[in-house]
Amino acid sequence: PITSIVIRSTSVPLPTATAFPSNLATVSIVDFSYFPNIMRIKSGQSVFWRNDGTEQHDVTGADWHSGLLDPTYTYRLTFGVPGTYAYRCSIHLDMTGSVVVS
């Protein structure tokens, strides 16, 4: 259930945010932070992490990893089991967040 795609427009300078439907759980990665850094979802939902900044980042949990996300890349992960899932950027260790699944 992991997908990385390029969402890049050459007509808009970086950083930029690509609009996602409002019902999607989307975390923006900008300026060495995850916004929001705590995402609350229901079991079976996906979270999308979108690199809206100008630096490479990743999303690394206990047993999952996005790979490097260049600016404008998006990573999706579906959570099927309730719990709290901590994650961080393995490049910038001060960048942390969590997904709370109910």
Side-chain angles (χ1 to χ4, degrees):
I2 300 170
T3 304
S4 293
I5 58 172
V6 175
I7 305 172
R8 187 173 202 163
S9 170
T10 57
S11 63
V12 180
L14 292 175
T16 183
T18 303
F20 273 73
S22 61
N23 62 337
L24 294 181
T26 305
V27 176
S28 180
I29 307 170
V30 179
D31 297 333
F32 305 100
S33 296
Y34 298 105
F35 297 104
N37 67 339
I38 298 174
M39 177 62 65
R40 297 180 190 283
I41 63 169
K42 301 276 187 203
S43 179
Q45 279 188 285
S46 296
V47 175
F48 294 80
W49 286 267
R50 182 180 57 223
N51 188 349
D52 292 324
T54 59
E55 302 287 329
Q56 282 186 330
H57 297 288
D58 66 13
V59 182
T60 303
D63 58 356
W64 45 277
H65 179 70
S66 66
L68 285 179
L69 299 175
D70 287 322
T72 72
Y73 277 48
T74 299
Y75 168 71
R76 181 188 86 192
L77 185 64
T78 301
F79 293 85
V81 178
T84 299
Y85 299 86
Y87 63 88
R88 70 177 338 120
C89 178
S90 68
I91 304 166
H92 311 103
L93 298 180
D94 290 337
M95 291 178 60
T96 62
S98 62
V99 177
V100 178
V101 182
S102 59

